[in-house]
């Protein structure tokens, strides 16, 4: 799941489509045609029945449909078109985004590109729900609206639809309301565990600003991870502790890199020396050891992780703050253990990870912080080049595509555009939103779980 796969309804759509394609023996090309037409149909339904400012959102392709403005009843023309006249620049439309998650969940399998039933067979009631759309998409020119059979495919439909209960079963790894670990894959069990941890964290911390903050308050910081019966009996709580803490370090790197790229953009022919001067000027005049002495501890009096990074990080964190976060991450290598340490440190050391910073911390501990900063600049520039070279593609005419925001020529650096300062996503908000759409979670902070959600996830009231 990611920011480009936000709708539970589409998981149901492709689940039904896989069963339909298998029943009719559709080949790759017919599957592709049906997918594109069904997606345009979903956009047309949303255009007719959904409102743009609703929390549930609007279907993929609505904006493109509004721009292309096909004649009413002839919408599938934009599904059959390519280039500027198409609703999507991708040959497989939005299935390109949902493909991986659907296959991983087992709702869809692929056979030479053709959709087939996955290990979780699509229930007959879900297939029947989408059957009217498939029938029109295969033989018609567009949709005739209004129609109740199509209205319930809209994202904002208020009543319970036939796809929701089966999707709840898949997401919670349950059958007839019961979870049998032996009947599900490791990925299924991890998804279920994450939903349980997320829901329980929000139950315990309804004041949290975001789902990720709630998860951090629940399983990362403080004593709840070992005291709460839900957390204490779930190994994946320790894994998420390491992942969320590692996420803090990744965010610090991204902000530092964004600041470096901004300096390059604002400077005519920025050299490595210029970038060294920039980082030296923005860091305190202190040794690394003295700088660390002013940072919060990484554990509290009980030996549980303390939110040190959160305590010093603001929305517009300075370069000094980001270096501090990296150093705190290196310190956590000594205070974490077991599964938490493994998920925090990673399977093996790699460039710019906490182990890398720990070695730099050791090497520079009695040297000026500015020297460490200059080394971090060099490491970022080297990593940028490594990543760019990995992405190099050679076109048919022999020219090279080099995908990078930062470029170097004869010792001078230049950038094409700014780099975003936002951290990478952990997909926690997306999972929580889909859980809300299938009516496991709610938007009510005082009652974050539905009764059915508590039952399926085996959580207290």
């Amino acid at each position: 799941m990611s920011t480009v796969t936000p709708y539970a309804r589409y998981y149901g759509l492709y689940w039904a489509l896989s069963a339909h394609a298998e029943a009719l023996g559709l080949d790759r090309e017919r599957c592709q045609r049906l997918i594109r037409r069904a997606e345009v149909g979903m956009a047309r339904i949303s255009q007719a029945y959904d409102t743009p400012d609703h929390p549930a959102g609007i279907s993929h392709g609505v904006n493109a449909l509004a721009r292309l403005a096909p004649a009413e009843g002839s919408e599938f023309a934009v599904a059959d078109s390519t280039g500027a006249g198409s609703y999507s620049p991708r040959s497989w439309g939005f299935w390109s985004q949902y493909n991986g998650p659907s296959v991983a969940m087992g709702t869809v399998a692929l056979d030479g590109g053709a959709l087939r039933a996955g290990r979780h067979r699509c229930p007959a009631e879900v297939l029947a729900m989408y059957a009217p759309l498939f029938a029109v998409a295969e033989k018609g020119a567009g949709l005739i609206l209004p129609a109740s059979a199509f209205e319930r495919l809209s994202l904002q439909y208020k009543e319970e639809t036939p796809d929701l209960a089966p999707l709840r079963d898949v997401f919670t790894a349950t059958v007839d309301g019961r979870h049998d670990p032996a009947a599900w894959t490791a990925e299924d069990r991890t998804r279920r565990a994450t939903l349980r941890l997320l829901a329980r964290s929000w139950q315990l911390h309804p004041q949290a600003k975001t789902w990720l903050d709630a998860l951090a308050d629940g399983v990362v910081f403080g004593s709840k991870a070992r005291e709460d019966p839900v957390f204490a009996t779930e190994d994946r709580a320790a894994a998420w502790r390491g992942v969320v803490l590692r996420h803090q370090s990744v965010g610090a790197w991204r902000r530092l890199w964004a600041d470096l790229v901004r300096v390059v953009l604002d400077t005519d022919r920025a050299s490595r020396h210029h970038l060294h001067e920039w980082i030296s000027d923005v860091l305190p005049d202190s040794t690394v050891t003295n700088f660390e002495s002013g940072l919060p501890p990484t554990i509290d009096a009980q030996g549980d992780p303390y939110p040190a990074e959160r305590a010093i990080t603001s929305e517009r964190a300075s370069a000094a703050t980001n270096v501090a976060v990296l150093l705190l991450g290196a310190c956590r290598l000594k205070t974490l253990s077991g599964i938490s340490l493994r998920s925090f440190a990673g399977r093996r050391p790699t460039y710019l990870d906490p182990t890398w910073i720990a070695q730099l911390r050791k090497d520079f501990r009695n040297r000026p912080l500015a020297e460490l900063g200059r080394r971090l600049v060099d490491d970022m520039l080297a990593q940028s080049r490594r990543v760019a070279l990995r992405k190099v593609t050679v076109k048919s005419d022999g020219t090279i595509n080099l995908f990078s925001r930062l470029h170097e020529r004869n010792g001078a650096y230049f950038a094409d555009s700014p780099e975003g300062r936002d951290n990478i996503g952990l997909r926690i908000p997306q999972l929580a939103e889909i859980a809300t759409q299938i009516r496991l979670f709610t938007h009510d902070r005082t009652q974050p779980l539905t009764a059915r959600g508590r039952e399926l996830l085996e959580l207290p009231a």
Side-chain angles (χ1 to χ4, degrees), residues 96-302:
S96 302
Q97 300 159 196
Y98 287 84
N99 178 329
S102 295
V103 172
M105 286 199 305
T107 52
V108 179
L110 295 174
D111 181 9
L115 275 66
R116 293 293 182 264
R119 64 180 183 276
H120 304 305
R121 309 288 296 191
C122 180
E125 63 270 24
V126 178
L127 179 57
M129 174 180 168
Y130 289 93
L133 175 62
F134 298 159
V136 176
E138 284 186 317
K139 298 181 179 180
L143 302 184
I144 304 300
L145 298 175
S148 59
F150 295 141
E151 181 182 5
R152 64 178 183 168
L153 301 184
S154 64
L155 299 189
Q156 299 166 22
Y157 191 68
K158 294 181 179 180
E159 305 300 323
E160 177 87 0
T161 49
D163 57 339
L164 295 183
L167 284 171
R168 284 194 292 265
D169 288 345
V170 171
F171 273 86
T172 61
T174 55
V175 175
D176 296 328
R178 299 185 60 185
H179 172 63
D180 176 9
W184 298 85
T185 67
E187 284 190 357
D188 293 328
R189 296 193 296 271
T190 295
R191 184 173 57 253
R192 172 184 173 80
T194 301
L195 284 169
R196 296 187 75 232
L197 296 172
L198 193 54
R200 185 59 176 157
S201 294
W202 199 272
Q203 282 183 319
L204 297 174
H205 301 281
Q207 78 287 351
K209 292 181 180 180
T210 67
W211 283 102
L212 184 56
D213 286 342
L215 184 66
D217 289 336
V219 304
V220 179
F221 303 121
S223 60
K224 287 287 197 304
R226 56 185 172 80
E227 293 175 347
D228 183 79
V230 174
F231 298 150
T233 56
E234 178 52 73
D235 285 345
R236 291 172 181 83
W240 271 111
R241 169 177 280 182
V243 168
V244 173
L245 289 173
R246 176 69 172 260
H247 189 245
Q248 311 257 30
S249 293
V250 172
W253 275 121
R254 287 179 63 84
R255 292 188 295 271
L256 269 178
W257 175 246
D259 290 346
L260 184 151
V261 172
R262 171 49 62 188
V263 171
V264 172
L265 280 168
D266 293 343
T267 306
D268 182 31
R269 296 182 60 80
S271 65
R272 185 182 299 267
H273 176 72
H274 184 97
L275 295 174
H276 282 179
E277 286 187 330
W278 158 70
I279 197 69
S280 299
D281 289 344
V282 297
L283 293 179
D285 184 12
S286 167
T287 65
V288 172
T289 298
N290 288 340
F291 179 69
E292 282 189 339
S293 67
L295 300 180
T298 56
I299 56 173
D300 60 23
Q302 288 73 44

Side-chain angles (χ1 to χ4, degrees), residues 4 13 40 46 58 101 116 144 200 260 299 318 337 339 366 404 408 418:
V4 296
L13 168 69
V40 168
S46 186
I58 55 177
R116 293 293 182 264
I144 304 300
R200 185 59 176 157
L260 184 151
I299 56 173
S318 67
S337 61
I339 296 172
N366 294 320
S404 177
E408 183 267 335

Side-chain angles (χ1 to χ4, degrees), residues 311-322:
I312 65 172
T313 304
S314 64
E315 187 172 326
R316 191 68 191 176
S318 67
T321 298
N322 292 319

